[in-house]
Amino acid sequence: HGDKDHPGIAATLHALGVVSRQAGDLKGAKQQLEESLRMKRSLHEDRNHPVIAATLHALDLLSLQAGDLKKAREYLDESLRMKRCLHGDTDHPDVATTLRELGRLTREVGDLKQAKQHLDESLRMQLSLHGDKDH
């Protein structure tokens, strides 16, 4: 594929970024995930897309591991915005997960009121999706 953006290359860069983060290579992970994000944005013409939201979420986890809570919040906020645009007003597991992560992050920075709001919404959504079933 040469120097052209390609979905397979973007997906592999994402996977490499996740593995690099898990192995503790935060610098390598950042480069791989940022290149994956750049490529995915280019491929999808900056429109909302689940693969872009997934890479934003991976960059959030990387930022958390690196101790950059401000950057982690930026990635999570954008990921949530994108997921809400993709799924509208319907409850969705990806939105619930991102709300839970935002709840954890805002708790970590001491914003307990905001943390409770995110966690309450995540729980409401999960109960709506899964009802009385153990999950």
Side-chain angles (χ1 to χ4, degrees):
H1 302 287
D3 291 335
K4 293 188 181 262
D5 295 338
H6 188 273
I9 295 170
T12 302
L13 283 165
H14 179 112
L16 278 168
V18 170
V19 168
S20 295
R21 179 187 63 79
Q22 291 171 337
D25 178 10
L26 303 187
K27 183 179 178 187
K30 184 174 194 248
Q31 291 171 339
Q32 292 153 343
L33 288 169
E34 285 179 346
E35 179 60 12
S36 175
L37 181 63
R38 183 209 59 76
M39 198 174 286
K40 289 174 180 180
R41 287 189 196 273
S42 172
L43 288 164
H44 298 286
E45 300 172 350
D46 278 325
R47 291 183 310 244
N48 296 326
H49 197 279
V51 297
I52 295 171
T55 300
L56 288 166
H57 199 96
L59 281 161
D60 149 63
L61 294 174
L62 172 66
S63 298
L64 280 175
Q65 190 170 339
D68 189 346
L69 302 182
K70 182 179 179 203
K71 196 67 177 170
R73 176 68 189 260
E74 290 173 16
Y75 287 128
L76 270 181
D77 283 342
E78 186 177 358
S79 178
L80 180 63
R81 181 201 55 76
M82 191 171 291
K83 289 173 183 177
R84 286 191 193 273
C85 285
L86 289 166
H87 302 294
D89 290 333
T90 61
D91 293 339
H92 193 278
D94 289 347
V95 175
T97 298
T98 303
L99 285 164
R100 185 179 64 233
E101 293 301 318
L102 269 169
R104 289 178 183 168
L105 179 61
T106 51
R107 181 191 70 213
E108 180 98 8
V109 298
D111 188 348
L112 300 181
K113 182 179 178 184
Q114 186 71 56
K116 184 174 181 339
Q117 289 174 347
H118 289 310
L119 292 169
D120 282 343
E121 186 178 358
S122 176
L123 179 61
R124 183 208 53 77
M125 198 172 287
Q126 291 174 62
L127 289 171
S128 167
L129 291 164
H130 305 297
D132 293 334
K133 299 175 280 190
D134 290 338
H135 187 76

